[in-house]
Amino acid sequence: MTTTTTRRSLNGLWTSQSDRHSALEDAQAVTAGSMLASLGVLLLSSAGLLTGGTAGVAFLLHYATGYAFGLIFFIVNLPFYWIAYRRIGLGFCVKTFIAIAVTSLLTEFLPDAIGLAHLQPLVAAVFGGLLIGTGMLVLFRHRASLGGFGILALYLQDRFGWRAGFVQLGFDSCVLVCSFFVASPFIIACSIAGAVVLNLTLAINHRRDRYIAM
């Protein structure tokens, strides 16, 4: 009986269903999504750019205070875990916490591992936005996020049917308005372009009625 139970538990780790991911699939997705997002953050920060959401708030505080982006990003997202737990569920909350922690750590280590001698800001914005958007898309499809406004966007999509990408774009616009205090108009324009790319990636590719696996 013990052997049979153990086999069933092990099979559950990697066996997925049409409407549910396995534990190993979730682990791979959280890791991959976090890696893509942290690489996008590296491109943005190396070019002195900003973005929206809690990452944008972290960028603003990072540029204004000099504190590490990863640490600020982790702290800024702490209040949103309660919303994630209460409104969406424990599994979403745990996976989101892990994704944020991994992304925060990687954003601190990647600059020492990847050297970028020259970055044109607009190119960095487009590719950075695409990488972060793709990373968030992977996380969304496995019921996780990078916290903050992403949690609100997913909740509003599930509750009212509002497209997560467009909801996030509205929040991002508010954050980018604040960037006028820490960046030049050109950098802000490039940052807006990156935010548009990020959110269009989500809006076009993530629909709950097309992708329902949990």
Side-chain angles (χ1 to χ4, degrees), residues 76-138:
V76 164
N77 278 292
L78 290 177
F80 291 93
Y81 293 123
W82 178 247
I83 300 175
Y85 171 69
R86 294 286 295 177
R87 296 295 186 180
I88 305 180
L90 179 61
F92 177 89
C93 183
V94 170
K95 286 184 283 188
T96 295
F97 180 86
I98 295 172
I100 292 172
V102 172
T103 301
S104 298
L105 288 173
L106 287 176
T107 55
E108 296 306 307
F109 288 114
L110 278 183
D112 295 327
I114 301 175
L116 300 171
H118 172 71
L119 273 178
Q120 204 282 333
L122 183 57
V123 174
V126 172
F127 279 87
L130 181 61
L131 282 168
I132 296 174
T134 303
M136 292 177 67
L137 179 64
V138 172

Side-chain angles (χ1 to χ4, degrees), residues 28-114:
Q28 186 276 335
V30 169
T31 301
S34 302
M35 291 173 67
L36 288 169
S38 61
L39 184 57
V41 168
L42 175 64
L43 291 178
L44 297 182
S45 61
S46 297
L49 298 169
L50 301 103
T51 189
T54 50
V57 174
F59 269 125
L60 288 172
L61 295 175
H62 167 64
Y63 293 142
T65 66
Y67 286 108
F69 169 88
L71 176 62
I72 298 174
F73 181 61
F74 184 81
I75 293 174
V76 164
N77 278 292
L78 290 177
F80 291 93
Y81 293 123
W82 178 247
I83 300 175
Y85 171 69
R86 294 286 295 177
R87 296 295 186 180
I88 305 180
L90 179 61
F92 177 89
C93 183
V94 170
K95 286 184 283 188
T96 295
F97 180 86
I98 295 172
I100 292 172
V102 172
T103 301
S104 298
L105 288 173
L106 287 176
T107 55
E108 296 306 307
F109 288 114
L110 278 183
D112 295 327
I114 301 175

Side-chain angles (χ1 to χ4, degrees), residues 140 149 152-171 199-210:
F140 281 7
F149 299 152
L152 288 178
L154 276 182
Y155 167 69
L156 291 173
Q157 176 172 273
D158 290 343
R159 180 67 177 81
F160 301 107
W162 300 350
R163 297 283 286 274
F166 291 126
V167 172
Q168 179 107 8
L169 182 59
F171 290 136
N199 288 288
L200 283 178
T201 300
L202 293 177
I204 293 172
N205 292 284
H206 183 69
R207 283 182 53 172
R208 194 168 183 266
D209 56 340
R210 287 180 179 168

Side-chain angles (χ1 to χ4, degrees), residues 1-22:
M1 180 66 69
T2 302
T3 302
T4 302
T5 302
T6 301
R7 286 178 178 175
R8 288 177 178 174
S9 299
L10 291 175
N11 286 337
L13 289 176
W14 62 271
T15 302
S16 61
Q17 301 174 10
S18 60
D19 62 345
R20 186 169 298 275
H21 295 291
S22 69

